[in-house]
Amino acid sequence: MRIERDGAVGIVVLDRPERRNAMDLSMRAGLAAAVHELDQDPGIRALVITGSGGVFAAGADLKLLADKGAQDMVDLDLGQYWAPLLACTKPVIAAVSGFALGAGCELAMMCDIVVGDPSARFGQPEAKVGIMPGAGGTQRLVRAVGKPIASLMLMTGEMIAADRAAQLGLISELVAEGEALRRARELAQAAAAMPPRALRAIKRVLAQGADLPLDAALSLENREFLLLFDTQDKTEGMRAFIDKRKPRFSGK
């Protein structure tokens, strides 16, 4: 696992290319620690997660799971390693080239924005080894692409190519070959220039409102909308627009 910094953008690189970035406990712990570190760093305002060796992440390392029983899995508590990403208050952008399978696909779906190039392949092939996704691979997938496509991927192990993933909404933006990381960094820089409190509010409303009835979700949105009118960044942003100048957001 590597952490790189580019101004206000933190970049987390899944760096186990000899295993196609398969996620063992060390990689999971490294990812959790990296995301937590960058989320707590006041100088970082957006994150990018990408893979090395032309692969995003080819799934869980089956050597970790093959001999485990149900209680062993409870004791492992794999959810603890995803928790910092799910709780991250800053925009997180996945830059996907190559395979994003199993836990790798689940990781991409946990991110706010997904940029992929034509080599990207998404899949949830867990049924092929006698299990099913356990970190959101059924529930986030069905919400992203709908039941017919989710069932296809989950029940047959079929992978979805990048162009199809873009059509279905699994990818936010499809870019030219080899351009996923560059574009993800560009988008992260754009997000990093936004007012942090507004972005945190947007993340909260997207996360909490998606499964609420519409009237409750709209109430949640309106509450967050009104609270932003008591921030310095709201005044700075609107004054800068009126004055035709670049805003200087402070996070207050």
Side-chain angles (χ1 to χ4, degrees):
M1 192 68 58
R2 300 199 318 268
I3 297 178
E4 301 172 2
R5 286 174 166 81
D6 180 12
V9 174
I11 303 164
V12 180
V13 183
L14 308 175
D15 193 17
R16 198 185 177 208
E18 72 281 1
R19 295 287 296 167
R20 297 194 300 180
N21 301 327
M23 305 195 71
D24 61 1
L25 284 184
S26 177
M27 177 167 282
R28 291 169 188 266
L31 175 63
V35 171
H36 177 75
E37 177 183 329
L38 294 172
D39 195 26
Q40 296 300 307
D41 186 339
I44 296 297
R45 292 194 172 184
L47 282 68
V48 172
I49 298 177
T50 193
S52 61
V55 176
F56 185 67
D61 190 333
L62 294 185
K63 291 181 179 179
L64 169 67
L65 307 178
D67 298 323
K68 297 290 190 294
Q71 187 58 53
D72 297 320
M73 294 303 297
V74 171
D75 294 340
L76 271 180
D77 185 19
L78 295 180
Q80 68 180 300
Y81 302 109
W82 298 120
L85 177 58
L86 296 174
C88 185
T89 61
K90 299 170 182 177
V92 182
I93 302 172
V96 180
S97 296
F99 293 122
L101 305 179
C105 187
E106 290 174 314
L107 171 57
M109 290 192 290
M110 291 181 200
C111 297
D112 300 303
I113 298 170
V114 180
V115 178
D117 71 17
S119 72
R121 297 291 183 273
F122 297 85
Q124 298 287 168
E126 287 87 345
K128 290 184 175 182
V129 294
I131 57 171
M132 62 177 283
T138 62
Q139 299 310 300
R140 288 191 180 89
L141 189 62
V142 74
R143 285 162 171 77
V145 303
K147 184 174 180 290
I149 301 299
S151 297
L152 171 71
M153 295 172 69
L154 292 160
M155 294 180 179
T156 70
E158 286 283 320
M159 291 186 290
I160 298 294
D163 56 349
R164 183 65 169 143
Q167 293 169 359
L168 293 167
L170 195 56
I171 290 179
S172 309
E173 185 173 336
L174 179 60
V175 297
E177 190 76 33
E179 290 291 301
L181 180 56
R182 183 201 62 78
R183 179 56 175 157
R185 292 171 73 135
E186 185 176 80
L187 290 171
Q189 292 287 2
M194 296 291 182
R197 292 182 66 172
L199 293 190
R200 289 198 296 270
I202 290 168
K203 283 198 68 161
R204 282 195 297 270
V205 172
L206 286 173
Q208 298 172 20
D211 297 320
L212 292 176
L214 181 59
D215 57 348
L218 290 172
S219 294
L220 176 66
E221 178 189 78
N222 185 250
R223 176 180 179 276
E224 294 281 6
F225 168 75
L226 293 174
L227 288 172
L228 289 172
F229 276 78
D230 282 336
T231 65
Q232 294 178 21
D233 279 348
K234 180 276 301 181
T235 301
E236 167 63 14
M238 292 188 177
R239 286 296 176 192
F241 182 84
I242 292 168
D243 296 342
K244 296 182 173 58
R245 61 175 175 83
K246 187 176 180 179
R248 296 180 294 274
F249 294 123
S250 65
K252 299 179 181 179

